[in-house]
Amino acid sequence: MDKYIRRLIADIRESRTKIVPPDMAVWEFADVENEAEVEDLAYVQETIYGKPEPLSVITDIETGYLPVDDVLTPEQKSLLARELEALLNHYNFYADFPVNFPDEKKYKLLRAVWDSERVYVSFGRAEIVFCNFDIKTCPFIGYCDICEEMEKEMREGPKADDTDISIEDLLPL
């Protein structure tokens, strides 16, 4: 399996060398140094003009090439997760994991979304979100407490300091 993993990593790294040109004419005149402009144009590209394709097609790494979680050692899962995240970042996709979530556990989630359809954006960020903020299906139990906080707020209502906003606070100075 180690030989196969080494070959797969070589293929992943080869995919990271590809330069994908912007597919929208609007990027031709964009100021890619202007973060707000890039964010706006990436949103337009993703939501209006984008053509969804599986991550496996965008990255040229077929899902079938990624071993199932059960046949890998924890070290192999960690290594592949780091390589897949770097590959996704190359294509402007960013996996939304809690800061302390182990690489070993990331692999299974990344492989599970590899056939999901996404829109490639030439610049900016396209987030890959794994949690739907329902504690019953949260993949990050023990690593993130947002679902627990949301459930608590649903039961108890917002904290007193969350509602202490006056209309003056919202008006420009």
Side-chain angles (χ1 to χ4, degrees), residues 17-159:
T17 66
K18 296 177 183 170
I19 298 171
V20 183
D23 65 352
M24 284 179 45
V26 70
W27 286 110
E28 186 177 333
F29 303 104
D31 177 6
V32 294
E33 301 300 321
N34 181 330
E35 189 175 328
E37 187 173 340
V38 167
E39 190 175 312
D40 290 346
L41 288 174
Y43 178 79
V44 167
Q45 183 178 2
E46 185 174 14
T47 59
I48 297 173
Y49 297 108
K51 177 183 170 252
E53 292 183 298
L55 286 172
S56 57
V57 171
I58 295 168
T59 62
D60 201 27
I61 301 292
E62 293 182 31
T63 306
Y65 295 168
L66 303 177
V68 293
D69 186 63
D70 299 345
V71 301
L72 298 171
T73 66
E75 294 78 20
Q76 291 169 331
K77 291 179 208 178
S78 294
L79 179 60
L80 284 173
R82 288 190 301 273
E83 292 291 335
L84 291 176
E85 272 196 283
L87 176 62
L88 289 172
N89 294 171
H90 175 75
Y91 289 96
N92 300 317
F93 294 105
Y94 292 84
D96 187 19
F97 292 116
V99 174
N100 58 347
F101 196 65
D103 289 338
E104 169 189 339
K105 293 180 181 275
K106 291 177 183 179
Y107 178 75
K108 186 174 185 175
L109 294 173
L110 290 169
R111 188 183 189 286
V113 299
W114 212 250
D115 278 328
S116 66
E117 291 197 342
R118 308 289 171 155
V119 175
Y120 167 75
V121 293
S122 304
F123 296 95
R125 295 175 67 95
E127 298 289 331
I128 299 174
V129 179
F130 298 94
C131 186
N132 63 4
F133 305 104
D134 178 4
I135 198 161
K136 295 178 195 102
T137 60
C138 182
F140 306 124
I141 298 294
Y143 297 97
C144 173
D145 62 355
I146 292 174
C147 294
E148 294 166 1
E149 289 176 16
M150 290 178 72
E151 188 174 275
K152 181 179 177 185
E153 189 170 312
M154 293 293 286
R155 279 193 320 269
E156 300 173 6
K159 298 176 194 168

Side-chain angles (χ1 to χ4, degrees), residues 1-9 64-67:
M1 181 60 88
D2 284 338
K3 185 177 179 180
Y4 180 80
I5 299 293
R6 283 193 301 276
R7 180 67 206 151
L8 176 58
I9 289 172
Y65 295 168
L66 303 177

